Every structure is written in C-alpha cells, then in structure tokens.
Amino acid sequence: MGYNVLKELWAFRSSVIFWFVPIAACPLPIYFGVAEPEFYRVTACAYVVIIMAFYWMFEVVPLAVTALIPLILYPVMGVQKSGDVSKNYLKDTNVLFLGGLMVAVAIEHVNLHKRIALRVLLLVGSQPRWLMLGFMLATAFLSMWISNTATTAMMTPIGAAVLAELFKEEDQPAKEVKGESNQAVELDTIDVEDMPPEYDSLAAENGDAITPDQEKEMPVVITEKESSRRKSVQKGMMLCIAYAANIGGTATLTGTPPNLIVSEQMEIIFPDSPGIDFATWFFFAAPGMVITLFLAWLWLSSIYVGCSCAGDCACCGQKKRGGAEDVIRKAYNELGPISFAEGAVIFHFVLLVFLWFFRDLKFVDLGKKQAGWTYFFTPGYVTDATATMMVAFALFVFPSRPPRFLCCRSKDDEEKPGPVPGLLDWPTVHTKMPWHIVLLLGGGFALADGVEKSGLSAWLGQQFSKLAGIEGWTMCLIVCIGVAAFTEVASNVTATSIFIPILAQMARGVCVNPYFLMVPAGIAASFAFMLPVATPPNAIVFSYGGIKVSDMVKTGFLMNLTSLLVLMVMINTLGVPIYDINTFPSWANDTSTPCF
C-alpha cells in the first residue's frame, strides 16, 4: 500500500511540488508579518525566492512561466510595486540579448552557419580524431554567436551522416576511393548503433576462389571488436559536439544566458561599478574557452579513438581522401557559391563585432569621455545593446538580393521594378526566435532586483561577513564547484539566477572583489557535462542513441574538473589586469558591513 502511494505521488510530483512548496514555506512571511513587521519585506522576498528556486529546479511549469512569478507575488506581498517589477523584463541586457538573437536568426536563415561548419570539416580531413576536432571547432565557434541548442541540433545529424559514410568506407578496404561525390548520401539522422553487427562470410567453404562479382555481392563482416570500436567512435563524436557547444558559449557575453545574468546583476547590485561589457568578457573568457576546448578534444579522442595517431595525419601516416570527406564536400557543394544574402549577413555580423569591441576602449583614459566610437555621443548613453539593435534593425532593411533599380538591374530582368525583401522578415523572427529565454532572463533580473530592494541582500551580506577569514581563491573554488554541481540537475539560467545575487552579497560581506566570485560562477554554470538533463546539447546527443548515462558521467566528471581548473587559473591570472580581483573596490563597500 505504501509503495503504491509513493508511486502515485511520484507520478504527480510536479503537482505535489506546485502546492507543497508555497504551503510549507508560508509560515515564514506570516510569522514575521505578525511578530516582526519591520522584517516582513525581507522574509516575503525570501518566500518568493524559495518558490521560484523549487519551481525552476523541478520544472513544475515551463521555466519562462516560472519567471513571471515576481510580477504576481512581489506586488501582492508588498515587496515591490508592479511598475518597478515590470521594468526588469526588458532591461538593457535583455535588449542586447534580443538583438543578438535576431542576428543569430539571420545567420541561420541564410544557412551561413552550415557553410561555416562544413568548411571547417573540410579543412581537418576525414580521420575520426581530426573529424572530432573539426566538429568541436565548428560547434564552439557557432555557439559563441547562436544558441547552443540550435548549433547542436544542426551539427548532430551531420556528424551521424559523416560517421555512417566513414564506416561504409572502412567496409570496402579493397576499393580505391577516388573522391567522386556520393550521390546517395543525404544528411539525415542516421543511427549508427543500429547498423548490422555481424554477417557470416560467403567465402568458399572448400577453398574455392572468390570471383570479383562474388566479392561485390558478399556482405560485410564486422567483428565484435570492430563493432565495439565503431560504437566508441560514435559516442565520442556525439559527446564532442555537446561539450563544444557548452564550452563555446562561455567565450562571449551573448553566447549563453548565464553570462548576461552576471553582467546585469553587476549593474543592479553595484550600480557604481565599471560593469561588464562585451570586450572585457571576451578578453577574459575566450582564452579559457580555447584551452578548455583543446583539453576536451584530447580527453575525448584518447578515450573514444585511442592514443595512437599513426595513420591519422599527414605527419604520422598517409592522408587519403575518403567517403566521409566526400559526403561533407557534397553537402558543401550543394550550398553553392556564397550568395548575396550570405555576404550581406557576414558584413553585418563583422560590423556588429567591431561595434562591440571598439565601443569603449577602457584601457585608454580620456577623462569623462569614452575612448571608442561612442566618443562622439553623450557619455554613458550608448551601450552594447544600442549597437546590437542598430545592426538588428538594419537586417530588416538591407536587401537580400541585388536591388532591381536603374543601373543595378540586369538586362535579362523582366520583372517589374521594385524593392526586394530584406535579409530578415518578421515571420522568420517570430518562428525561430526563442522568446522564452527573454522572459527567463527578465524573471531572473526581477528576482534579483527584489532581493536588493527588499533588504534581503543586506541581511545576506551581514551573515556572510562571518566567512571573512577564508581566502578568496578558496571561496571562489568552492562556489564554482557548487554552481557546476547544481547545474547538473537544473538549467544554467536557474543556477545563475539563484546564486549570482547571493554571491554578490557574499563578496560584499567578506570584502572580496565581486568580480572574483560572480564571473567564474557564471562561467561554471555552463560546465555541465555529466548528465543528459544538465543542458539541451547534452539531451540532444543523448537522444540519438548509443550513449549511456554512465558514459556521460565517466567522461563528464573529468571534464568538469578540468574545466574548473582552467577557470581557476584564468581568474587568478587574467582576472588581475581585467577585473583587478586582488583589491576590494570602494563601489562594492556597504555601510552595513563596511570593509574600510
């Protein structure tokens, strides 16, 4: 009987958590509302934080719907006015992310991301080890600019098709591969796991010679050892795509939502701080991303391909062109030459990157003026979000084909003169834009703003002041391990939305530079390699089959440790000149827990 009850409760666990958490936590605001009214707003805000934390962790309702809770409970419980809460859902950082998503949609719309990925694969060759490197380089670069989920969803079927062609080539060792296109291969999802494992040889039982015609018709013999090797290569290929997507997103401010949450919370909690812009984040995070990606490739290739490189490269063996390279080349050739639309998107993309990097050259001191292209505008008015929306707006206006106007019109063009469609149109944006991420970011910002305005942050700062004797690097390591572990069972947006405001007050309470805790924690939220539920890229490659949870845990555990080790090295080296982590800044000082 008891077992059946627990089984029923587990089946309805979302409904149970939905009702149980608010009811179980409600004595907190009720007691202080009656016994200590001056402490009511703090406890009411804590009550909302508890509810949102559990709802986000267990996905009781969609994550974006949970993000709307502050719009309901903050005004109802007297934490903040509705107008003040609403402003957090389209702040400057949300606009930056929204514009970045529009540029990413344009890249996907013209298939530029596919061209980049296939071109990288053509450069690395067709051997498994170098194919893994090519997939990781292409995936990491794309995930810096477009969503990790979209990147993984595109690269995974390409990887499956390339592996299928690679194994098909190995089954025909006696045939010389001349490099012609294989017209029968399509980039569909191909499950290598379900390939026929073994066949009995049709060789003559009495020593009869096998004619060439019989050799062509005989089925392929795949030994148990060979089948095991192929499964291992398939696992490595799928995991390298997922891990590269997670790692690549850490390099840019817009690469993944946790990065933006760190930037926005820095401005909310420490309004007098220098903040975090695209350039400073990139100069700190990109070197660590490259190192982590290279170590991930070494680790995955050594486990799933082997340590020997003989025959894998031009230096150690003879490099040959095979069927796997043919399928990549065929897919690339099908894209045709670079179109006018692709060239236009490349131009706007490069323009946006330049606008981000050269908006404010912080290492040049011009007094009240910003040393960048914003020098010509009112100081403090133009941000990265302004540059992003400028380019995003231009994508709707810039033509997707050469305009048919006067001298620009070709002689063979018999259509009526008129404007051509822009690079982007609203139906495309409406369909491909992940709107829920914008709400999710807004909910995190609203949650943190309530924590600050209610006084909960000041109370947390006083409690954390008791930890002031711990070394900063030790605290940073503990924080990053905790965030990375929490992200294995919850989304990285959830982890950063909950932890970053708390870490900001912890830094203030123990008199440590807030950058020292907040920036590494935001990056650590993307280091989730051990479980399929940790990130969408993990879930996508796991759904392709052939990968067990034990495979992810075994491979991901060392990946987590390696990534955190690289992160610790980066924050203690690059963090000094970029964020000045060795000093406690005056803008972080709090009157309730003064450090001066």
Side-chain angles (χ1 to χ4, degrees):
M1 178 65 181
Y3 173 78
N4 291 333
V5 172
L6 292 177
K7 188 176 180 180
E8 291 286 336
L9 289 175
W10 179 254
F12 288 90
R13 59 187 180 278
S14 295
S15 300
V16 172
I17 294 173
F18 179 82
W19 293 106
F20 175 76
V21 173
I23 294 173
C26 69
L28 184 65
I30 292 175
Y31 170 79
F32 284 97
V34 175
E36 301 181 45
E38 69 279 359
F39 206 60
Y40 168 75
R41 287 186 68 199
V42 174
T43 55
C45 181
Y47 175 72
V48 177
V49 172
I50 292 171
I51 293 175
M52 293 185 67
F54 275 92
Y55 281 16
W56 266 334
M57 281 190 292
F58 295 98
E59 295 191 40
V60 176
V61 293
L63 298 179
V65 176
T66 301
L68 299 175
I69 287 179
L71 287 171
I72 304 170
L73 293 185
Y74 276 178
V76 169
M77 302 189 70
V79 177
Q80 268 187 304
K81 295 180 180 178
S82 180
D84 294 335
V85 181
S86 301
K87 294 176 183 177
N88 292 289
Y89 285 82
L90 206 60
K91 297 175 74 68
D92 185 73
T93 305
N94 299 72
V95 175
L96 169 62
F97 191 58
L98 184 64
L101 288 176
M102 288 185 182
V103 176
V105 168
I107 293 174
E108 294 182 54
H109 184 55
V110 300
N111 262 343
L112 182 59
H113 62 319
K114 189 173 183 180
R115 182 181 295 277
I116 295 172
L118 293 174
R119 190 63 193 173
V120 172
L121 293 177
L122 283 175
L123 294 175
V124 298
S126 59
Q127 296 300 329
R129 183 187 312 279
W130 304 108
L131 276 176
M132 289 177 65
L133 177 62
F135 272 97
M136 294 186 76
L137 291 175
T139 304
F141 177 77
L142 291 173
S143 64
M144 290 167 60
W145 315 104
I146 65 178
S147 82
N148 301 344
T149 305
T151 302
T152 308
M154 181 198 71
M155 296 298 293
T156 306
I158 296 177
V162 169
L163 281 178
E165 188 63 22
L166 181 65
F167 296 151
K168 183 186 296 184
E169 176 192 359
E170 292 177 354
D171 292 337
Q172 299 172 347
K175 296 182 181 180
E176 181 181 356
V177 179
K178 298 181 179 180
E180 64 276 1
S181 296
N182 187 339
Q183 301 298 330
V185 178
E186 299 293 338
L187 288 178
D188 294 327
T189 302
I190 298 175
D191 190 356
V192 183
E193 183 76 15
D194 295 332
M195 294 177 64
E198 290 186 15
Y199 292 97
D200 293 328
S201 175
L202 294 184
E205 297 180 359
N206 297 323
D208 297 338
I210 300 176
T211 66
D213 292 337
Q214 289 176 326
E215 183 180 1
K216 292 180 181 179
E217 296 176 0
M218 59 182 291
V220 180
V221 178
I222 303 178
T223 64
E224 183 176 352
K225 182 179 180 181
E226 178 65 14
S227 177
S228 176
R229 185 191 72 85
R230 294 186 177 186
K231 292 177 183 179
S232 179
V233 172
Q234 183 197 15
K235 292 177 183 178
M237 185 69 75
M238 295 296 106
L239 288 176
C240 79
I241 293 173
Y243 290 177
N246 294 334
I247 295 169
T250 63
T252 60
L253 190 59
T254 57
T256 185
N259 304 352
L260 290 166
I261 292 175
V262 174
S263 174
E264 183 63 27
Q265 295 311 309
M266 183 64 69
E267 293 185 10
I268 292 176
I269 303 174
F270 306 106
D272 297 328
S273 69
I276 299 175
D277 58 15
F278 186 92
T280 55
W281 184 279
F282 182 83
F283 289 135
F284 170 75
M289 184 275 289
V290 173
I291 295 173
T292 305
L293 190 71
F294 178 72
L295 294 176
W297 172 64
L298 291 179
W299 172 237
L300 290 170
S301 62
S302 64
I303 289 182
Y304 294 105
V305 179
C307 297
S308 175
C309 65
D312 278 1
C313 63
C315 299
C316 304
Q318 184 179 4
K319 182 179 178 181
K320 64 178 182 179
R321 176 178 169 184
E325 186 174 347
D326 283 342
V327 73
I328 300 172
R329 187 172 297 280
K330 176 180 180 290
Y332 183 82
N333 291 337
E334 287 177 350
L335 296 176
I338 295 180
S339 64
F340 180 87
E342 288 179 278
V345 171
I346 292 174
F347 167 76
H348 285 86
F349 172 73
V350 173
L351 174 63
L352 177 59
V353 173
F354 269 89
L355 291 176
W356 276 338
F357 275 111
F358 296 101
R359 179 183 65 85
D360 183 13
L361 304 176
K362 294 183 180 298
F363 54 87
V364 179
D365 187 10
L366 295 180
K368 296 182 179 180
K369 286 285 187 177
Q370 292 178 315
W373 59 267
T374 53
Y375 176 87
F376 303 99
F377 303 96
T378 306
Y381 276 51
V382 178
T383 65
D384 285 339
T386 311
T388 309
M389 293 312 297
M390 287 167 55
V391 175
F393 186 87
L395 291 171
F396 289 90
V397 180
F398 200 90
S400 57
R401 300 193 304 269
R404 292 180 286 107
F405 179 72
L406 297 179
C407 60
C408 297
R409 188 175 181 180
S410 64
K411 296 179 180 180
D412 299 332
D413 190 355
E414 298 180 355
E415 295 184 27
K416 295 181 179 180
V420 298
L423 292 170
L424 268 186
D425 57 76
W426 189 251
T428 301
V429 174
H430 177 73
T431 303
K432 295 186 176 182
M433 178 75 73
W435 298 103
H436 66 284
I437 298 296
V438 179
L439 283 179
L440 197 55
L441 281 175
F445 298 155
L447 183 70
D449 192 40
V451 169
E452 177 73 17
K453 297 296 192 299
S454 66
L456 178 58
S457 61
W459 181 81
L460 289 172
Q462 293 175 354
Q463 308 310 308
F464 287 126
S465 63
K466 302 172 184 177
L467 304 175
I470 302 179
E471 291 288 337
W473 69 269
T474 305
M475 193 177 304
C476 180
L477 179 61
I478 295 173
V479 163
C480 290
I481 293 174
V483 171
F486 184 82
T487 311
E488 295 290 349
V489 295
S491 74
N492 52 13
V493 177
T494 299
T496 46
S497 296
I498 294 173
F499 283 108
I500 294 301
I502 296 176
L503 293 178
Q505 301 309 323
M506 176 187 291
R508 178 178 278 168
V510 299
C511 301
V512 171
N513 193 314
Y515 286 109
F516 201 1
L517 299 182
M518 296 172 67
V519 173
I523 295 177
S526 296
F527 292 156
F529 307 108
M530 293 176 59
L531 296 175
V533 298
T535 64
N538 292 9
I540 290 173
V541 300
F542 184 79
S543 67
Y544 261 70
I547 299 177
K548 301 177 182 178
V549 175
S550 59
D551 295 324
M552 275 195 166
V553 173
K554 176 184 69 174
T555 310
F557 179 73
L558 185 61
M559 272 302 307
N560 275 20
L561 294 180
T562 303
S563 303
L564 292 175
L565 177 62
V566 173
L567 182 58
M568 289 299 100
V569 173
M570 290 296 106
I571 191 62
N572 285 283
T573 54
L574 290 179
V576 176
I578 295 177
Y579 295 123
D580 195 21
I581 61 167
N582 289 337
T583 62
F584 183 76
S586 58
W587 48 261
N589 196 31
D590 186 12
T591 55
S592 60
T593 55
C595 294
F596 298 112

